Amino acid sequence: MILLSGNEAVARGAWEGGVILGTGYPGTPSSEILENLSGYSGLRAQWCPNEKVALEVGSGASWAGGRVLVTMKHVGLNVAADPLFTLAYTGIRGGLVIAVADDPGLQSSQNEQDSRHYGRAARLPVLEPSDSAEAKEMTLLGFRLSEQFKIPVILRLVTRISHSRTPVFLGRRSKPASCRIVRDPERQVMIPKYAAVRHRVLEEKLEELALYAETAPCNRVEPGRSGEKIITSGIAYQYCREAAPDAAYLKLGLVYPLPRKLLRKFARGKDKPFLVEELDPFLATEIRAMGIDIRSKRKEYGLGELNPDRVKNLLANRAEKVPPPSPLPGRPPVMCAGCPHRGVFWVLKKLKLFVTGDIGCYTLGTLPPLSALDTCLCMGAGVGQSEGYRRVLPPEEGRKVAAVIGDSTFLHSGVTGLIDIVYNGNGGVVIILDNRTTAMTGHQHHPATGQTLMEEAVFPVSLETVCRGVGVKRVKVISSYDLPALEDFLQDSLDRPEPSVLIARAPCVLLKGLKKKSPYRVEADKCVACGLCLKSGCPALSAGEDGKVSIDPVACTGCAVCAGICPVSAIIR
Amino acid sequence: MKRETTSVIIVGVGGQGTLLSAGILSEAAALSGLEVKSSEVHGMAQRGGSVLSQVRFGERVYSPLSPAGTGDYLVALEELEALRYRQLIRPKATIFLQRKRILPAPVLAGAAVYPPGIEETLTGEGYRVEGVDEADLVSRFNTAKPANIYLLGRLSRHLDFELTVWKRVIYRYIKESLRDLNWAAFRLGREDGNIRK
Ligand SMILES: Cc1ncc(C[n+]2csc(CCOP(=O)(O)OP(=O)(O)O)c2C)c(N)n1
């Protein structure tokens, strides 16, 4: 028995289940699954450029007979939704489990979507573990079900499962299947004629799965003493156990499709069972649609993450007020001292540009004092948004719009937006914030870093060549710390009819092996306490009582951005 | 004998080693034969955000999160974070506190004030505070880095895990070059805890 996080447990389950390939794209809270899987022998784990590609690679390997684990965060499943829906029709050959991690409470995400809906929408079974032991067992079960019913299986995690450590019993690895080419166009070529048949087959599989659900060991009844009855699943089960230890439980492990008879039997009697689930009323809607009478939570409990206290109130049907904001100063994450993104935002702010942004560490550029990023929708969106703004704005306004996007995000889904700018002749400037890594989610490699997840050295995709290749003529690489050069290039780009790409390049300061330069300091008698440097938001800078600035020599990386900003040259090395 | 669930809340700022102490505590509890569940919020830990870990152990533990106002101990590597998360522990419970202030961005930007007199506030509210000055640790170890392990040592006085278990886990978790330093910090914390008791 050892303690594993939910993510480690999924990786372990995949290894024990004889997985030979793991694919995915990073995203909190799912990233550690694949990182852990890459540490096991006898398989390959790889980051793909995005989730759609990850699922497509996975489907190929599965059709050849191999067991495959595909991982992503909840919004990643939106990106992979196209192959997902049709993969449900084709079915699979080697077991295919898609581990998708939701983020109730938005610890680190742009939305709070509930991935269970994909089960119903794409007609796929969804398993939901309530701790690490179940995360491992359900990964194994997912592969068995996937092969038994010839269907991809969704393993739905949430942050609190992925990032909690609980006891797990380890097992041995089963032998991976051997792979070969199988020609089977009626299943693998989804022309309308074949797809219509496969749609019927899929609905039949779902009926069989619903029958399986009636006696599946992962759907279990636990007797109670209080007379109270609760239907629940996943992490909510643990909170309920804390809040109502003596209730009787129907704990669902397979949350789609649902066991109609089992539910009806459990609900029988004079007391209606309470349905407790995190986020959307997914189970409640499904169960009510079966004509089963249940009680369920008030609406407000569908927002945010549950916890034992909220579940207690939820069960008592107490109205929940929005908590008053804490009087204590918050501690939001900040751009690190020396972060290469800072100088770029400084220049963007100076030029008073409207910045369509994207998702990554650089999204922090929206926070004061920089306040220099104006949109953030989803990965890749900022590039297309800049074009949309320019398309409808009067020219003197449109010239002020610039897009920023990270290197990992550009390769994920920004390049298509750039192609559109070239194609539709919309001009403008796209700034790729190239810090040579996927920093936000924990410094994963991507196609332009020159290394894979397995730490093989590979040919790095050249961002500048890609941009030129799609037809951008003005492409310039400038150091992220060279503020005057950044400013000149941007100034010169704004009024041109053709598009420009500025690649602002400097490695993330948190990257391992990066040598720190010697720190800067402030000459106190030169400092005029104007506070300009503080507006860069560098956490190494702070002002004393007299307003004069000092620099924390431990935090300072010697990036010199503040030295360039200082109007009286008081910041020196 | 049924043992009640013990909940320890460990808080600090990214980079202070809260996750490491939570890991060590969890492992020590597991090696002592208890069921353990631990949970952490560390999305942006490296970017200076606040970090909250919860470790719960006992005969049978369900939720990895402890209900508010029921935690048994709070280990805080930073004062403001102690104040922020004190509602998670029982009234009068013990807080192991490193007397250290790390100014958050809104304070640095002049948009908020760092609350003064945090330790007095906590004591005034009835909590039992076992504090250590950051400077004290520096004078003993030339660095305050092992503050997280030192505070675990103080906490260890209140838990009945064998010293050999602690040593095993600390040696497993901490890389060789820092092992002796951290073990010394743990033992010192344990002794200091003894004196205070
Ligand atoms: C579809 C989707 N997949 C994954 C994520 C998680 N995620 C957020 S930003 C990001 C990439 C950040 O890397 P990069 O663009 O290089 O910017 P950096 O953080 O390095 O500044 C990822 C993977 C997401 N938000 N949406």
Side-chain angles (χ1 to χ4, degrees):
Chain A
M1 198 277 303
I2 61 168
L3 291 175
L4 293 182
S5 71
N7 283 347
E8 290 168 330
V10 173
R12 177 73 197 192
W15 180 78
E16 288 182 10
V19 153
I20 53 173
L21 179 66
T23 65
Y25 182 73
T28 314
S30 70
S31 314
E32 300 87 356
I33 303 174
L34 224 49
E35 289 171 337
N36 270 280
L37 192 64
S38 73
Y40 287 98
S41 58
L43 53 75
R44 179 179 174 83
Q46 63 187 41
W47 293 128
C48 295
N50 67 28
E51 294 86 351
K52 179 176 184 289
V53 175
L55 184 54
E56 289 156 351
V57 172
S59 73
S62 157
W63 286 359
R67 283 192 166 183
V68 186
L69 178 72
V70 183
T71 75
M72 59 196 66
K73 71 182 290 171
H74 58 339
V75 285
L77 198 50
N78 304 338
V79 177
D82 197 8
L84 182 79
F85 277 67
T86 310
L87 200 54
Y89 283 26
T90 64
I92 53 81
R93 196 157 286 112
L96 179 75
V97 171
I98 302 163
V100 52
D102 286 7
D103 190 14
L106 300 130
Q107 306 289 354
S108 197
S109 301
Q110 69 267 34
N111 78 19
E112 221 174 11
Q113 77 186 40
D114 188 329
S115 296
R116 295 176 300 171
H117 294 293
Y118 273 105
R120 180 172 46 203
R123 323 300 288 147
L124 294 175
V126 181
L127 291 166
E128 187 172 35
S130 70
D131 60 19
S132 301
E134 285 189 1
K136 195 198 90 170
E137 288 313 315
M138 286 187 184
T139 305
L140 285 161
L141 174 64
F143 285 109
R144 287 197 300 273
L145 291 181
S146 176
E147 284 172 5
Q148 184 182 339
F149 294 92
K150 300 203 165 14
I151 196 167
V153 172
I154 296 176
L155 180 72
R156 191 253 189 169
L157 308 163
V158 293
T159 305
R160 203 56 72 180
I161 296 292
S162 286
H163 288 172
S164 289
R165 304 205 321 146
T166 76
V168 177
F169 286 96
L170 303 183
R172 270 196 241 281
R173 174 159 163 96
S174 48
K175 204 168 150 271
S178 55
C179 297
R180 65 199 169 88
I181 287 179
V182 181
R183 285 214 169 82
D184 189 353
E186 290 179 27
R187 284 196 196 177
Q188 290 173 187
V189 183
M190 285 300 93
I191 54 174
K193 180 173 166 216
Y194 298 156
V197 177
R198 297 307 297 172
H199 192 181
R200 181 165 311 122
V201 172
L202 174 59
E203 290 304 324
E204 285 163 10
K205 286 180 187 176
L206 231 59
E207 271 168 37
E208 286 166 31
L209 271 157
L211 266 185
Y212 163 83
E214 300 287 355
T215 55
C218 65
N219 293 334
R220 63 168 192 265
V221 173
E222 298 172 0
R225 283 172 300 180
S226 64
E228 197 180 356
K229 289 191 287 189
I230 295 176
I231 304 171
T232 186
S233 76
I235 189 69
Y237 164 77
Q238 309 290 2
Y239 303 148
C240 287
R241 272 284 173 197
E242 202 82 31
D246 295 325
Y249 284 86
L250 170 53
K251 181 194 172 292
L252 297 168
L254 183 61
V255 295
Y256 195 84
L258 290 170
R260 182 191 304 261
K261 282 197 195 123
L262 182 62
L263 284 159
R264 181 155 289 140
K265 195 169 147 211
F266 186 76
R268 206 172 290 152
K270 68 176 190 345
D271 291 320
K272 286 193 262 180
F274 210 113
L275 189 288
V276 183
E277 61 191 319
E278 201 166 48
L279 294 180
D280 296 348
F282 174 80
L283 296 173
T285 309
E286 286 291 307
I287 293 171
R288 289 212 171 94
M290 293 172 172
I292 298 171
D293 209 6
I294 49 167
R295 289 179 297 154
S296 62
K297 65 183 180 206
R298 301 168 62 94
K299 260 206 187 112
E300 59 266 32
Y301 293 97
L303 311 173
E305 189 186 21
L306 292 180
N307 58 41
D309 298 304
R310 291 188 81 196
V311 166
K312 200 168 202 170
N313 291 330
L314 177 162
L315 286 169
N317 208 27
R318 264 196 283 275
E320 191 182 49
K321 289 184 220 74
V322 181
S326 164
L328 299 179
R331 197 181 289 279
V334 289
M335 260 184 212
C336 306
C339 174
H341 299 331
R342 177 171 289 106
V344 179
F345 282 113
W346 182 266
V347 173
L348 290 167
K349 189 174 180 175
K350 187 171 169 198
L351 296 177
K352 298 198 171 65
L353 297 182
F354 180 85
V355 178
T356 58
D358 222 296
I359 309 189
C361 279
Y362 50 96
T363 314
L364 293 170
T366 195
L367 298 178
L370 280 168
S371 312
L373 178 134
D374 301 295
T375 74
C376 165
L377 181 63
C378 69
M379 284 188 73
V383 179
Q385 285 189 316
S386 72
E387 179 188 338
Y389 271 103
R390 264 193 312 275
R391 192 53 75 194
V392 298
L393 287 171
E396 67 282 8
E397 284 287 298
R399 69 179 286 283
K400 290 190 216 150
V401 180
V404 298
I405 185 165
D407 45 344
S408 188
T409 303
F410 179 73
L411 293 173
H412 176 280
S413 48
V415 64
T416 37
L418 183 63
I419 290 170
D420 196 50
I421 291 178
V422 173
Y423 177 46
N424 283 302
N426 196 239
V429 57
V430 173
I431 302 158
I432 303 178
L433 299 164
D434 182 11
N435 61 355
R436 316 304 295 157
T437 186
T438 317
M440 173 81 155
T441 46
H443 299 97
Q444 292 83 8
H445 284 288
H446 62 62
T449 66
Q451 257 193 59
T452 65
L453 175 55
M454 310 284 280
E455 295 182 349
E456 303 136 317
V458 289
F459 180 79
V461 168
S462 155
L463 299 178
E464 45 275 45
T465 311
V466 169
C467 295
R468 289 197 186 101
V470 304
V472 181
K473 300 215 172 57
R474 282 188 90 241
V475 179
K476 180 119 187 185
V477 182
I478 298 176
S479 159
S480 309
Y481 299 118
D482 189 348
L483 273 44
L486 294 171
E487 188 176 337
D488 285 351
F489 182 82
L490 286 175
Q491 277 287 20
D492 190 19
S493 302
L494 298 180
D495 294 308
R496 289 174 181 265
E498 78 275 18
S500 309
V501 170
L502 165 57
I503 301 175
R505 181 170 289 161
C508 169
V509 287
L510 294 179
L511 278 178
K512 281 203 193 82
L514 204 71
K515 269 256 236 5
K516 248 173 72 164
K517 294 193 203 114
S518 55
Y520 277 73
R521 61 187 175 82
V522 179
E523 278 193 294
D525 42 342
K526 271 204 194 160
C527 177
V528 293
C530 68
L532 193 63
C533 59
L534 295 173
K535 298 214 167 89
S536 72
C538 178
L541 305 176
S542 58
E545 303 265 283
D546 54 0
K548 294 202 179 202
V549 172
S550 59
I551 298 179
D552 175 352
V554 180
C556 178
T557 67
C559 80
V561 165
C562 60
I565 291 170
C566 179
V568 293
S569 308
I571 302 179
I572 55 161
R573 214 187 304 246
Chain B
M1 184 189 77
K2 189 171 174 332
R3 287 168 67 173
E4 293 289 309
T5 298
T6 303
S7 305
V8 181
I9 316 294
I10 307 179
V11 301
V13 175
Q16 284 194 298
T18 43
L19 302 183
L20 180 67
S21 9
I24 290 172
L25 175 60
S26 305
E27 213 63 66
L31 275 180
S32 306
L34 300 172
E35 177 165 3
V36 183
K37 290 197 172 173
S38 75
S39 167
E40 56 210 29
V41 170
H42 64 164
M44 296 282 274
Q46 273 187 303
R47 317 287 183 279
S50 80
V51 183
L52 163 65
S53 290
Q54 310 204 18
V55 182
R56 311 190 75 208
F57 43 88
E59 203 69 29
R60 181 79 178 90
V61 182
Y62 288 104
S63 165
L65 299 177
S66 58
T70 69
D72 298 284
Y73 305 100
L74 175 63
V75 177
L77 290 154
E78 201 273 347
E79 294 175 38
L80 174 58
E81 298 311 309
L83 196 61
R84 193 187 312 283
Y85 291 113
R86 70 193 190 282
Q87 278 98 347
L88 290 177
I89 55 171
R90 285 185 280 107
K92 301 202 169 107
T94 302
I95 301 176
F96 303 91
L97 177 72
Q98 175 176 220
R99 295 190 190 98
K100 178 182 172 73
R101 301 163 143 224
I102 301 176
L103 305 186
V107 172
L108 283 175
V113 187
Y114 195 100
I118 288 179
E119 189 171 349
E120 293 71 51
T121 306
L122 296 173
T123 326
E125 289 175 350
Y127 297 104
R128 187 175 159 272
V129 178
E130 285 195 28
V132 63
D133 289 338
E134 185 189 16
D136 233 24
L137 292 175
V138 175
S139 74
R140 283 146 132 178
F141 301 109
N142 268 330
T143 160
K145 265 269 157 210
N148 57 343
I149 307 298
Y150 170 89
L151 290 180
L152 268 191
R154 293 194 73 149
L155 169 70
S156 76
R157 275 282 158 208
H158 300 252
L159 307 172
D160 51 5
F161 307 157
E162 302 279 345
L163 193 60
T164 49
V165 166
W166 285 110
K167 184 163 183 180
R168 237 170 90 192
V169 181
I170 288 174
Y171 272 63
R172 175 143 32 105
Y173 263 71
I174 290 176
K175 68 173 177 201
E176 210 178 330
S177 58
L178 296 173
R179 258 178 215 157
D180 293 339
L181 171 71
N182 278 280
W183 181 239
F186 181 87
R187 281 204 331 260
L188 187 73
R190 203 170 158 90
E191 277 159 32
D192 287 356
N194 208 15
I195 295 161
R196 282 286 303 255
K197 225 175 165 184

